Amino acid sequence: MREKIVAGNWKMNKDWDQGLSLVQEIQKIMSVEESNGAKVVIAPPYIHLAKISDMVTSSDWLYVAAQNCHQESAGAYTGEISASMIKSIGVEYVILGHSERRAYFDESHELLARKVKAVLDQGLIPIFWCGEPLPIREANQQSSFVNQQLSDSLFQLSAEYIRGLVIAYEPIWAIGTGRTASSAQAQEMHASIRQHLSGQFGKEIAEQIPILYGGSCKPANAVEIFAGPDVDGGLIGGASLSANDFMAIVRSL
Ligand code: PGA
């Protein structure tokens, strides 16, 4: 059985107090609801990581992710934090290669390959992002484009290493636009990603890797999007900034 995961990517939102109250609201909702077996992952800005990690230690379904980390383990890299630092505060997940990191911070396939390795070396779980821009979708090249992203950043790793990975597929044209992939489009891409992983790492491992959908996922469309057999949850941006919306999406899964 593959894990089901809903991860909330806060991006650069929520100051200290706002972030802590959002987590408290999520915990309050969770305290009166049964876990449906899904893992819930919160990815706040760096400043919140240590505190939120402490707040969720007693939960068996709430986890924390960093939104990025540096590829080196330590050194003179002003402004950066390493995977081992993230590990040292009890955080379990790291989102890597989000389209915003690729676009605004020039993160290349090669750099991401190093970051994935750094994160896995620490026993952390990368949530590795992939997805295509609109012109690629319009040219119907999305599968080969995304497969290339995966090959370039993940295929240097051994199958055993890759076992711990989570993939997030987000069509860039759906991020923050209110436009989502249809359930059929999401399922088609997730199946194609799984097949590509299977070709490299074998079916058994590919079947274990959770593949999350992201891009304008909201309470109103989550049930439909999550319906596909290869859609194992979501990476949620805007809607993760409201505890009610975020938890409604968790419930949909
Ligand atoms: P969105 O963002 O849900 O606001 O579209 C998703 C993401 O970028 O992870």
Side-chain angles (χ1 to χ4, degrees):
M1 265 289 279
R2 274 196 297 277
E3 279 186 336
K4 300 274 183 194
I5 301 171
V6 177
N9 176 12
W10 295 4
K11 308 190 180 184
M12 196 173 73
N13 291 296
K14 303 289 179 192
D15 66 18
W16 180 251
D17 289 340
Q18 292 166 338
L20 301 192
S21 10
L22 178 52
V23 177
Q24 280 158 1
E25 282 178 62
I26 290 171
Q27 287 179 312
K28 203 161 143 203
I29 296 173
M30 282 176 143
S31 68
V32 294
E33 287 186 12
E34 292 288 304
S35 161
N36 57 8
K39 283 187 168 175
V40 178
V41 180
I42 298 171
Y46 285 146
I47 60 152
H48 292 104
L49 284 177
K51 176 69 178 173
I52 295 180
S53 178
D54 272 356
M55 289 168 78
V56 307
T57 38
S58 58
S59 164
D60 56 358
W61 54 308
L62 192 52
Y63 299 84
V64 183
Q67 296 176 15
N68 175 37
C69 79
H70 197 265
Q71 64 277 14
E72 298 294 340
S73 54
Y77 302 100
T78 302
E80 294 293 323
I81 68 170
S82 71
S84 61
M85 292 171 183
I86 291 168
K87 165 119 179 168
S88 72
I89 52 168
V91 166
E92 292 95 346
Y93 293 85
V94 185
I95 299 173
L96 288 176
H98 191 283
S99 57
E100 289 148 19
R101 301 274 337 154
R102 293 175 194 245
Y104 306 138
F105 302 96
D106 290 331
E107 293 198 350
S108 64
H109 300 306
E110 296 72 28
L111 177 73
L112 289 169
R114 294 175 63 200
K115 289 193 178 199
V116 170
K117 182 158 187 316
V119 164
L120 286 168
D121 277 342
Q122 286 299 325
L124 298 169
I125 304 170
I127 302 178
F128 182 79
W129 185 100
C130 59
E132 82 285 355
L134 190 57
I136 296 288
R137 168 64 66 164
E138 285 170 345
N140 201 27
Q141 299 294 313
Q142 61 275 8
S143 285
S144 55
F145 185 89
V146 166
N147 286 348
Q148 195 63 47
Q149 288 177 325
L150 300 172
S151 306
D152 287 347
S153 295
L154 301 177
F155 280 19
Q156 83 288 0
L157 298 166
S158 71
E160 277 315 305
Y161 226 67
I162 217 79
R163 205 180 269 279
L165 192 82
V166 175
I167 303 266
Y169 166 68
E170 300 196 320
I172 296 172
W173 44 270
I175 297 177
T177 58
R179 188 177 164 191
T180 59
S182 66
S183 171
Q185 284 173 323
Q187 168 56 26
E188 186 185 36
M189 281 305 287
H190 284 225
S192 149
I193 289 168
R194 202 175 303 287
Q195 195 181 15
H196 189 57
L197 293 171
S198 173
Q200 175 74 9
F201 300 112
K203 193 165 185 325
E204 190 222 324
I205 296 214
E207 285 296 328
Q208 280 177 22
I209 295 180
I211 307 177
L212 317 183
Y213 171 83
S216 296
C217 191
K218 308 251 179 297
N221 57 29
V223 170
E224 195 201 331
I225 289 170
F226 293 158
D230 286 288
V231 182
D232 305 309
L235 179 58
I236 318 300
S240 74
L241 300 175
S242 142
N244 284 331
D245 285 356
F246 186 54
M247 294 311 290
I249 294 172
V250 171
R251 231 170 278 131
S252 312
L253 188 64

